[in-house]
Amino acid sequence: MAVHATGNQQHAVPNLVTKLLSWFSTHARDLPWRRTRDPYAIWISESMLQQTQVKTVIPYWERWMRELPTIRAAAQASPGKLHKLWEGLGYYTRVRNVQKAAQQIIAQHEGRFPENFDDILALPGVGRYTAGAIASIAFHQPRPILDGNVVRVLTRIFGITTDPREKKTNAQLWRITEELVHYASRITSTLRSPPSAELLRRTGATEDGHHASSCSRLNQSLMELGALICTPRSPRCELCPVNHLCVARHRGWQAELPKIGRRETATARRFIAFVVERRGRFLVRQRPAGVVNAHLWEFPNVEIGARHSGPQRVVTADSAGFHFTEVKPFTIIKHSITRYRITLAAHRAELANSRSKPGGHWLSRSQLARRAFSSAHKKILAQFEPERRSPTRSASKLRPVTSRIGDRRS
Ligand code: SF4
Protein backbone atom coordinates (compact mmCIF):
# COMPACT_ATOMS: atom_id res chain seq x y z
CA MET A 1 0.00 0.00 0.00
CA ALA A 2 1.22 3.51 -0.71
CA VAL A 3 -1.29 6.18 0.12
CA HIS A 4 -0.51 9.81 0.89
CA ALA A 5 -2.77 12.33 2.48
CA THR A 6 -2.40 15.22 0.16
CA GLY A 7 -5.00 14.04 -2.39
CA ASN A 8 -8.07 14.02 -0.16
CA GLN A 9 -6.70 16.18 2.62
CA GLN A 10 -8.29 19.44 1.55
CA HIS A 11 -11.69 17.84 1.30
CA ALA A 12 -11.39 15.99 4.63
CA VAL A 13 -10.22 18.87 6.83
CA PRO A 14 -13.56 20.75 7.24
CA ASN A 15 -15.46 17.55 7.95
CA LEU A 16 -12.88 16.28 10.38
CA VAL A 17 -12.72 19.50 12.35
CA THR A 18 -16.50 19.74 12.66
CA LYS A 19 -16.84 16.12 13.78
CA LEU A 20 -13.96 16.29 16.23
CA LEU A 21 -15.18 19.50 17.88
CA SER A 22 -18.66 18.12 18.15
CA TRP A 23 -17.47 14.81 19.63
CA PHE A 24 -15.19 16.58 22.10
CA SER A 25 -18.10 18.71 23.30
CA THR A 26 -19.77 15.60 24.72
CA HIS A 27 -16.82 13.27 25.44
CA ALA A 28 -14.09 15.45 26.97
CA ARG A 29 -12.85 13.98 30.23
CA ASP A 30 -13.05 16.19 33.27
CA LEU A 31 -9.30 16.52 33.98
CA PRO A 32 -8.11 18.95 36.65
CA TRP A 33 -5.80 20.90 34.32
CA ARG A 34 -8.71 21.40 31.93
CA ARG A 35 -10.47 23.55 34.50
CA THR A 36 -7.91 26.30 34.20
CA ARG A 37 -6.27 28.49 31.59
CA ASP A 38 -3.29 29.25 33.80
CA PRO A 39 -0.34 28.62 31.43
CA TYR A 40 1.85 27.55 34.36
CA ALA A 41 -0.64 24.84 35.40
CA ILE A 42 -1.06 23.68 31.79
CA TRP A 43 2.72 23.60 31.25
CA ILE A 44 3.22 21.46 34.38
CA SER A 45 0.54 19.03 33.21
CA GLU A 46 2.10 18.77 29.74
CA SER A 47 5.56 18.17 31.23
CA MET A 48 4.24 15.42 33.47
CA LEU A 49 2.19 13.81 30.68
CA GLN A 50 5.21 13.21 28.45
CA GLN A 51 5.59 9.40 28.46
CA THR A 52 3.18 9.08 31.38
CA GLN A 53 -0.47 8.11 31.63
CA VAL A 54 -3.19 10.57 32.63
CA LYS A 55 -4.37 8.56 35.64
CA THR A 56 -0.81 8.44 36.99
CA VAL A 57 -0.29 12.16 36.50
CA ILE A 58 -3.46 13.47 38.22
CA PRO A 59 -2.32 13.06 41.88
CA TYR A 60 1.20 14.28 41.02
CA TRP A 61 -0.17 17.39 39.30
CA GLU A 62 -2.57 18.14 42.15
CA ARG A 63 0.21 17.80 44.75
CA TRP A 64 2.61 19.93 42.68
CA MET A 65 0.05 22.72 42.27
CA ARG A 66 -0.65 22.65 46.02
CA GLU A 67 3.02 22.74 47.01
CA LEU A 68 4.35 25.00 44.23
CA PRO A 69 1.37 27.05 43.04
CA THR A 70 3.36 29.72 41.19
CA ILE A 71 6.24 30.03 38.74
CA ARG A 72 8.26 31.76 41.44
CA ALA A 73 7.68 28.89 43.88
CA ALA A 74 8.93 26.40 41.26
CA ALA A 75 11.95 28.58 40.50
CA GLN A 76 12.93 28.79 44.16
CA ALA A 77 12.17 25.23 45.34
CA SER A 78 15.05 23.14 46.68
CA PRO A 79 16.27 20.27 44.42
CA GLY A 80 15.21 17.83 47.16
CA LYS A 81 11.65 19.13 47.15
CA LEU A 82 11.41 19.14 43.34
CA HIS A 83 12.63 15.55 43.05
CA LYS A 84 10.33 14.40 45.86
CA LEU A 85 7.33 15.91 44.04
CA TRP A 86 8.37 14.09 40.86
CA GLU A 87 9.37 10.84 42.61
CA GLY A 88 7.99 7.88 40.64
CA LEU A 89 7.20 9.78 37.42
CA GLY A 90 10.62 8.97 35.94
CA TYR A 91 12.54 10.96 33.31
CA TYR A 92 13.80 13.36 35.97
CA THR A 93 15.45 15.65 33.43
CA ARG A 94 11.91 16.97 32.96
CA VAL A 95 11.65 18.34 36.48
CA ARG A 96 15.11 19.90 36.36
CA ASN A 97 14.12 21.59 33.07
CA VAL A 98 10.88 22.84 34.65
CA GLN A 99 12.94 24.63 37.30
CA LYS A 100 15.42 26.04 34.78
CA ALA A 101 12.50 27.29 32.66
CA ALA A 102 10.79 28.83 35.71
CA GLN A 103 14.03 30.64 36.54
CA GLN A 104 14.26 31.85 32.93
CA ILE A 105 10.69 33.19 33.11
CA ILE A 106 11.56 35.11 36.28
CA ALA A 107 14.75 36.49 34.74
CA GLN A 108 13.48 37.32 31.25
CA HIS A 109 9.70 37.77 31.51
CA GLU A 110 9.26 39.33 34.98
CA GLY A 111 7.74 36.11 36.25
CA ARG A 112 4.85 36.09 33.74
CA PHE A 113 4.52 33.03 31.52
CA PRO A 114 5.33 34.28 27.98
CA GLU A 115 2.53 34.37 25.38
CA ASN A 116 4.79 34.69 22.37
CA PHE A 117 5.24 31.27 20.74
CA ASP A 118 8.98 31.66 20.15
CA ASP A 119 9.49 32.69 23.77
CA ILE A 120 7.60 29.58 24.94
CA LEU A 121 9.67 27.42 22.60
CA ALA A 122 12.88 28.93 23.98
CA LEU A 123 12.18 27.60 27.49
CA PRO A 124 14.37 24.65 28.58
CA GLY A 125 12.63 21.30 28.02
CA VAL A 126 9.87 22.78 25.85
CA GLY A 127 9.71 21.37 22.32
CA ARG A 128 7.38 22.12 19.44
CA TYR A 129 4.63 19.86 20.77
CA THR A 130 4.62 21.30 24.32
CA ALA A 131 4.85 24.88 23.05
CA GLY A 132 1.91 24.22 20.71
CA ALA A 133 -0.13 22.68 23.51
CA ILE A 134 0.48 25.62 25.88
CA ALA A 135 -0.07 28.25 23.17
CA SER A 136 -3.34 26.70 21.98
CA ILE A 137 -4.79 25.63 25.35
CA ALA A 138 -3.74 28.57 27.53
CA PHE A 139 -3.66 31.35 24.94
CA HIS A 140 -6.04 30.00 22.26
CA GLN A 141 -3.51 30.49 19.49
CA PRO A 142 -3.89 28.39 16.30
CA ARG A 143 -0.70 26.39 16.94
CA PRO A 144 -0.52 22.72 15.95
CA ILE A 145 0.48 19.78 18.12
CA LEU A 146 1.89 16.40 17.16
CA ASP A 147 2.65 13.71 19.70
CA GLY A 148 2.39 9.91 19.61
CA ASN A 149 -1.40 9.93 20.01
CA VAL A 150 -1.93 12.48 17.26
CA VAL A 151 0.49 10.69 14.93
CA ARG A 152 -1.52 7.50 15.37
CA VAL A 153 -4.85 9.21 14.73
CA LEU A 154 -3.69 11.13 11.65
CA THR A 155 -1.75 8.31 9.97
CA ARG A 156 -4.85 6.14 10.29
CA ILE A 157 -7.39 8.72 9.15
CA PHE A 158 -5.31 9.74 6.13
CA GLY A 159 -3.89 6.28 5.46
CA ILE A 160 -0.29 7.48 5.66
CA THR A 161 1.86 4.45 5.12
CA THR A 162 5.35 5.87 5.42
CA ASP A 163 7.30 5.95 8.70
CA PRO A 164 6.17 9.02 10.73
CA ARG A 165 9.68 9.36 12.15
CA GLU A 166 11.05 10.05 8.67
CA LYS A 167 11.60 13.74 8.02
CA LYS A 168 9.26 13.99 5.05
CA THR A 169 6.35 12.16 6.68
CA ASN A 170 6.84 14.04 9.92
CA ALA A 171 6.67 17.34 8.06
CA GLN A 172 3.53 16.15 6.28
CA LEU A 173 1.87 15.32 9.62
CA TRP A 174 2.77 18.73 11.04
CA ARG A 175 1.21 20.33 7.94
CA ILE A 176 -2.02 18.38 8.42
CA THR A 177 -2.33 19.25 12.11
CA GLU A 178 -1.55 22.86 11.24
CA GLU A 179 -4.36 22.91 8.67
CA LEU A 180 -6.76 21.37 11.16
CA VAL A 181 -6.10 23.90 13.90
CA HIS A 182 -6.18 26.86 11.49
CA TYR A 183 -9.47 25.67 10.08
CA ALA A 184 -10.84 25.25 13.61
CA SER A 185 -9.95 28.84 14.43
CA ARG A 186 -12.14 29.98 11.51
CA ILE A 187 -15.22 27.80 11.51
CA THR A 188 -16.50 27.46 15.03
CA SER A 189 -19.32 29.92 14.49
CA THR A 190 -20.85 27.55 11.93
CA LEU A 191 -21.20 24.67 14.38
CA ARG A 192 -24.80 23.61 14.74
CA SER A 193 -24.78 22.95 18.47
CA PRO A 194 -23.14 25.50 20.76
CA PRO A 195 -21.12 24.06 23.63
CA SER A 196 -22.94 23.34 26.87
CA ALA A 197 -22.07 25.13 30.10
CA GLU A 198 -20.72 21.79 31.33
CA LEU A 199 -18.29 21.57 28.39
CA LEU A 200 -17.14 25.13 28.89
CA ARG A 201 -16.44 24.32 32.54
CA ARG A 202 -14.66 21.06 31.66
CA THR A 203 -12.44 22.60 29.02
CA GLY A 204 -11.58 25.85 30.74
CA ALA A 205 -13.37 28.06 28.18
CA THR A 206 -15.75 30.91 28.80
CA GLU A 207 -18.91 31.55 26.79
CA ASP A 208 -17.37 34.70 25.33
CA GLY A 209 -14.11 32.94 24.68
CA HIS A 210 -15.75 29.92 23.14
CA HIS A 211 -14.98 30.78 19.53
CA ALA A 212 -11.42 31.57 20.35
CA SER A 213 -11.14 28.34 22.32
CA SER A 214 -11.77 26.17 19.27
CA CYS A 215 -8.00 25.84 18.69
CA SER A 216 -7.62 24.53 22.20
CA ARG A 217 -10.55 22.15 21.83
CA LEU A 218 -9.49 20.88 18.41
CA ASN A 219 -6.01 20.02 19.68
CA GLN A 220 -7.40 18.41 22.81
CA SER A 221 -9.93 16.45 20.74
CA LEU A 222 -7.10 14.87 18.74
CA MET A 223 -5.28 13.89 21.94
CA GLU A 224 -8.53 12.62 23.46
CA LEU A 225 -9.48 10.56 20.41
CA GLY A 226 -6.05 8.89 20.48
CA ALA A 227 -6.34 8.21 24.20
CA LEU A 228 -9.92 6.93 24.34
CA ILE A 229 -10.92 5.60 20.89
CA CYS A 230 -8.04 5.33 18.42
CA THR A 231 -5.85 3.34 20.79
CA PRO A 232 -2.67 1.55 19.71
CA ARG A 233 -4.27 -1.90 19.89
CA SER A 234 -7.93 -2.63 19.12
CA PRO A 235 -9.15 0.88 18.23
CA ARG A 236 -12.90 1.28 18.85
CA CYS A 237 -13.75 2.28 15.29
CA GLU A 238 -17.49 1.67 15.72
CA LEU A 239 -17.58 4.53 18.28
CA CYS A 240 -15.25 6.83 16.39
CA PRO A 241 -16.77 10.18 15.29
CA VAL A 242 -14.65 10.26 12.11
CA ASN A 243 -14.91 6.61 11.09
CA HIS A 244 -16.63 7.45 7.80
CA LEU A 245 -13.59 9.56 6.85
CA CYS A 246 -10.94 7.09 7.96
CA VAL A 247 -8.80 5.40 5.30
CA ALA A 248 -7.42 2.81 7.76
CA ARG A 249 -10.91 1.74 8.71
CA HIS A 250 -12.10 1.43 5.12
CA ARG A 251 -9.09 -0.61 4.12
CA GLY A 252 -8.63 -2.60 7.33
CA TRP A 253 -5.20 -1.09 8.03
CA GLN A 254 -5.75 -0.16 11.69
CA ALA A 255 -3.25 -2.72 13.00
CA GLU A 256 -0.59 -1.70 10.47
CA LEU A 257 -0.63 2.06 11.11
CA PRO A 258 1.28 4.00 12.14
CA LYS A 259 4.02 2.27 10.20
CA ILE A 260 6.80 2.57 12.70
CA GLY A 261 9.91 0.59 11.84
CA ARG A 262 11.18 -2.14 14.09
CA ARG A 263 11.27 -1.15 17.72
CA GLU A 264 14.54 -1.61 19.55
CA THR A 265 14.62 -5.02 21.15
CA ALA A 266 14.31 -5.13 24.92
CA THR A 267 17.58 -5.38 26.81
CA ALA A 268 17.71 -7.30 30.10
CA ARG A 269 19.79 -5.81 32.92
CA ARG A 270 20.35 -7.23 36.39
CA PHE A 271 21.33 -5.42 39.57
CA ILE A 272 21.97 -6.46 43.13
CA ALA A 273 21.13 -4.03 45.94
CA PHE A 274 22.18 -4.26 49.61
CA VAL A 275 19.85 -3.30 52.44
CA VAL A 276 22.00 -2.65 55.49
CA GLU A 277 20.45 -1.63 58.80
CA ARG A 278 22.31 -0.44 61.85
CA ARG A 279 20.46 0.66 64.97
CA GLY A 280 17.34 1.61 63.00
CA ARG A 281 19.20 3.48 60.27
CA PHE A 282 19.80 2.35 56.72
CA LEU A 283 22.79 2.82 54.48
CA VAL A 284 21.85 4.80 51.34
CA ARG A 285 23.59 7.03 48.84
CA GLN A 286 22.60 9.85 46.50
CA ARG A 287 23.27 9.56 42.77
CA PRO A 288 25.58 12.28 41.47
CA ALA A 289 24.71 14.94 38.86
CA GLY A 290 25.08 14.01 35.23
CA VAL A 291 24.08 10.34 35.43
CA VAL A 292 20.74 8.58 34.93
CA ASN A 293 18.44 9.30 37.89
CA ALA A 294 20.80 12.07 39.04
CA HIS A 295 20.13 13.43 42.56
CA LEU A 296 17.85 10.51 43.49
CA TRP A 297 18.56 8.27 46.48
CA GLU A 298 19.16 4.52 46.39
CA PHE A 299 20.47 1.56 48.36
CA PRO A 300 24.06 0.53 47.56
CA ASN A 301 23.92 -1.58 44.42
CA VAL A 302 25.90 -2.98 41.54
CA GLU A 303 25.02 -4.13 38.04
CA ILE A 304 25.87 -7.74 37.25
CA GLY A 305 25.87 -9.53 33.92
CA ALA A 306 22.38 -10.15 32.54
CA ARG A 307 23.14 -13.86 32.20
CA HIS A 308 23.85 -14.37 35.88
CA SER A 309 20.90 -15.80 37.69
CA GLY A 310 20.85 -13.05 40.33
CA PRO A 311 20.31 -13.87 43.95
CA GLN A 312 22.17 -17.17 43.81
CA ARG A 313 25.33 -15.50 42.61
CA VAL A 314 27.46 -14.26 45.50
CA VAL A 315 28.22 -10.57 45.06
CA THR A 316 29.64 -8.76 48.07
CA ALA A 317 30.64 -5.31 46.83
CA ASP A 318 28.71 -2.47 45.27
CA SER A 319 29.79 -0.08 42.54
CA ALA A 320 30.98 2.53 45.08
CA GLY A 321 33.35 0.11 46.83
CA PHE A 322 31.29 -0.83 49.89
CA HIS A 323 31.89 -4.45 50.94
CA PHE A 324 29.22 -6.63 52.52
CA THR A 325 28.92 -9.87 54.48
CA GLU A 326 25.94 -11.99 55.60
CA VAL A 327 24.25 -11.39 52.25
CA LYS A 328 20.73 -12.91 52.23
CA PRO A 329 17.88 -12.54 49.70
CA PHE A 330 15.22 -9.97 50.64
CA THR A 331 13.05 -9.10 47.63
CA ILE A 332 13.10 -9.00 43.83
CA ILE A 333 11.93 -5.97 41.88
CA LYS A 334 11.07 -6.29 38.18
CA HIS A 335 11.10 -2.94 36.49
CA SER A 336 10.93 -1.59 32.92
CA ILE A 337 12.32 1.73 31.75
CA THR A 338 12.06 2.41 28.02
CA ARG A 339 13.81 -0.57 26.39
CA TYR A 340 15.44 -1.90 29.54
CA ARG A 341 13.93 -4.81 31.46
CA ILE A 342 15.55 -4.51 34.85
CA THR A 343 15.70 -7.11 37.59
CA LEU A 344 16.85 -5.74 40.92
CA ALA A 345 17.58 -8.42 43.52
CA ALA A 346 17.69 -6.76 46.94
CA HIS A 347 19.56 -8.50 49.77
CA ARG A 348 19.84 -7.92 53.46
CA ALA A 349 23.49 -7.56 54.35
CA GLU A 350 26.01 -6.36 56.89
CA LEU A 351 28.66 -3.81 56.08
CA ALA A 352 32.10 -5.47 56.11
CA ASN A 353 34.25 -2.37 56.07
CA SER A 354 32.42 -0.79 58.95
CA ARG A 355 34.16 2.56 58.75
CA SER A 356 32.03 4.97 56.73
CA LYS A 357 33.07 5.56 53.14
CA PRO A 358 32.44 8.85 51.40
CA GLY A 359 29.04 8.93 49.77
CA GLY A 360 27.22 6.75 52.28
CA HIS A 361 24.49 8.13 54.55
CA TRP A 362 22.78 6.39 57.49
CA LEU A 363 19.15 7.50 57.54
CA SER A 364 16.16 6.60 59.71
CA ARG A 365 12.85 5.44 58.23
CA SER A 366 11.33 8.91 58.57
CA GLN A 367 14.37 10.49 56.88
CA LEU A 368 14.15 7.96 54.06
CA ALA A 369 10.49 8.84 53.55
CA ARG A 370 11.42 12.48 52.94
CA ARG A 371 14.04 11.66 50.27
CA ALA A 372 13.23 11.05 46.57
CA PHE A 373 14.17 7.50 45.55
CA SER A 374 14.30 6.04 42.07
CA SER A 375 11.22 3.92 41.37
CA ALA A 376 12.90 0.53 41.77
CA HIS A 377 14.52 1.45 45.09
CA LYS A 378 11.29 2.99 46.37
CA LYS A 379 9.77 -0.45 45.83
CA ILE A 380 12.43 -1.95 48.08
CA LEU A 381 11.41 0.56 50.77
CA ALA A 382 7.78 -0.43 50.29
CA GLN A 383 8.72 -4.02 51.17
CA PHE A 384 9.80 -3.13 54.69
CA GLU A 385 7.34 -4.57 57.15
CA PRO A 386 5.58 -1.57 58.69
CA GLU A 387 4.98 -3.05 62.14
CA ARG A 388 8.65 -3.91 62.67
CA ARG A 389 9.84 -0.97 60.57
CA SER A 390 12.71 -3.11 59.34
CA PRO A 391 13.33 -5.41 56.37
CA THR A 392 12.55 -8.84 57.84
CA ARG A 393 10.76 -10.61 54.99
CA SER A 394 11.86 -14.17 54.76
CA ALA A 395 13.21 -15.49 51.48
CA SER A 396 10.25 -17.87 51.22
CA LYS A 397 7.90 -14.87 50.90
CA LEU A 398 9.76 -13.24 48.03
CA ARG A 399 7.52 -12.06 45.27
CA PRO A 400 8.52 -10.16 42.15
CA VAL A 401 7.32 -6.58 42.20
CA THR A 402 6.78 -5.22 38.69
CA SER A 403 6.44 -1.74 37.32
CA ARG A 404 6.83 0.12 34.08
CA ILE A 405 7.93 3.62 33.21
CA GLY A 406 7.62 4.91 29.71
CA ASP A 407 4.02 4.05 28.83
CA ARG A 408 2.30 6.38 26.42
CA ARG A 409 -0.06 8.96 27.81
CA SER A 410 -3.72 7.97 27.57
S1 SF4 B 1 -12.02 4.84 12.53
FE1 SF4 B 1 -10.75 3.59 13.84
S2 SF4 B 1 -8.68 3.74 13.01
FE2 SF4 B 1 -9.89 5.40 12.12
S3 SF4 B 1 -9.50 7.15 13.43
FE3 SF4 B 1 -11.35 6.18 14.17
S4 SF4 B 1 -10.67 4.74 15.75
FE4 SF4 B 1 -8.87 5.34 14.56
Side-chain angles (χ1 to χ4, degrees):
M1 58 182 177
V3 173
H4 301 280
T6 40
N8 59 2
Q9 190 175 313
Q10 264 188 328
H11 171 68
V13 164
N15 254 334
L16 266 177
V17 171
T18 311
K19 294 283 174 196
L20 286 169
L21 287 174
S22 201
W23 174 78
F24 190 67
S25 69
T26 49
H27 291 80
R29 283 175 292 180
D30 184 12
L31 303 176
W33 46 85
R34 283 187 176 156
R35 296 178 205 148
T36 176
R37 278 190 58 205
D38 174 4
Y40 168 66
I42 291 163
W43 166 45
I44 297 301
S45 74
E46 287 299 333
S47 301
M48 288 183 169
L49 284 164
Q50 290 163 21
Q51 305 288 330
T52 312
Q53 294 190 335
V54 164
K55 67 175 188 298
T56 305
V57 165
I58 290 173
Y60 279 91
W61 181 85
E62 287 174 336
R63 195 166 52 128
W64 179 288
M65 295 308 297
R66 252 192 333 269
E67 301 270 324
L68 303 174
T70 61
I71 293 171
R72 194 165 293 278
Q76 293 172 348
S78 70
K81 178 160 193 161
L82 283 179
H83 284 88
K84 189 68 188 164
L85 287 170
W86 210 270
E87 184 187 34
L89 278 178
Y91 302 102
Y92 292 89
T93 307
R94 291 182 293 174
V95 71
R96 292 191 281 277
N97 276 334
V98 162
Q99 184 164 57
K100 280 189 212 152
Q103 289 164 348
Q104 187 166 313
I105 293 170
I106 301 287
Q108 297 179 4
H109 304 285
E110 298 171 342
R112 284 174 62 87
F113 200 98
E115 263 192 62
N116 178 284
F117 184 76
D118 291 334
D119 289 339
I120 302 174
L121 199 54
L123 296 172
V126 174
R128 190 174 172 189
Y129 164 81
T130 306
I134 298 168
S136 62
I137 298 170
F139 301 120
H140 294 165
Q141 297 171 13
R143 294 287 178 178
I145 54 155
L146 188 69
D147 69 348
N149 271 338
V150 180
V151 163
R152 186 169 60 254
V153 168
L154 295 183
T155 52
R156 286 175 174 170
I157 291 174
F158 290 98
I160 295 172
T161 57
T162 42
D163 187 336
R165 290 174 305 189
E166 284 170 8
K167 207 171 159 195
K168 200 170 155 199
T169 307
N170 192 263
Q172 178 188 11
L173 288 164
W174 275 108
R175 271 198 307 278
I176 294 174
T177 180
E178 204 165 349
E179 270 193 56
L180 293 172
V181 76
H182 276 282
Y183 191 81
S185 71
R186 298 197 302 268
I187 62 110
T188 317
S189 57
T190 66
L191 282 179
R192 258 179 271 145
S193 49
S196 65
E198 171 63 11
L199 171 74
L200 294 172
R201 187 186 69 76
R202 269 194 270 165
T203 55
T206 62
E207 198 121 24
D208 288 344
H210 158 61
H211 296 306
S213 76
S214 59
C215 304
S216 160
R217 290 183 297 108
L218 185 275
N219 280 349
Q220 293 189 72
S221 74
L222 285 168
M223 301 178 198
E224 200 78 333
L225 192 73
L228 300 180
I229 303 286
C230 195
T231 49
R233 279 175 226 99
S234 313
R236 300 155 75 199
C237 299
E238 68 287 356
L239 301 177
C240 179
V242 294
N243 55 15
H244 61 295
L245 298 167
C246 178
V247 172
R249 186 177 197 226
H250 288 306
R251 303 200 180 177
W253 290 349
Q254 294 96 321
E256 292 161 56
L257 298 178
K259 188 109 174 175
I260 294 173
R262 272 171 160 267
R263 289 184 190 281
E264 283 182 295
T265 48
T267 304
R269 296 177 69 181
R270 299 183 72 86
F271 291 79
I272 288 192
F274 302 92
V275 179
V276 184
E277 182 184 3
R278 192 175 279 174
R279 293 188 290 279
R281 289 174 179 265
F282 295 87
L283 180 62
V284 289
R285 62 189 196 189
Q286 188 175 26
R287 291 178 68 79
V291 302
V292 175
N293 289 337
H295 306 296
L296 297 183
W297 290 79
E298 62 184 11
F299 293 96
N301 64 88
V302 63
E303 182 165 10
I304 59 172
R307 279 200 226 131
H308 289 295
S309 53
Q312 291 81 11
R313 184 175 177 240
V314 179
V315 174
T316 57
D318 85 330
S319 54
F322 290 104
H323 288 270
F324 303 96
T325 60
E326 308 292 324
V327 175
K328 295 190 186 103
F330 168 49
T331 190
I332 295 172
I333 311 292
K334 300 253 187 205
H335 189 62
S336 296
I337 304 179
T338 57
R339 69 188 179 90
Y340 296 112
R341 306 285 171 265
I342 293 167
T343 302
L344 175 66
H347 292 67
R348 297 179 63 200
E350 299 290 332
L351 193 60
N353 42 351
S354 63
R355 287 189 194 288
S356 288
K357 286 182 72 69
H361 297 258
W362 291 93
L363 301 184
S364 66
R365 283 291 301 265
S366 60
Q367 289 171 319
L368 293 177
R370 291 197 293 275
R371 302 294 196 281
F373 276 73
S374 65
S375 295
H377 288 257
K378 194 172 168 62
K379 288 191 164 58
I380 297 176
L381 268 179
Q383 297 295 302
F384 289 15
E385 288 187 2
E387 67 274 18
R388 308 238 353 225
R389 305 179 77 79
S390 68
T392 52
R393 279 171 83 91
S394 70
S396 62
K397 287 186 185 166
L398 292 181
R399 284 209 175 80
V401 178
T402 58
S403 71
R404 175 168 178 76
I405 288 183
D407 290 343
R408 287 159 200 260
R409 65 192 272 172
S410 62

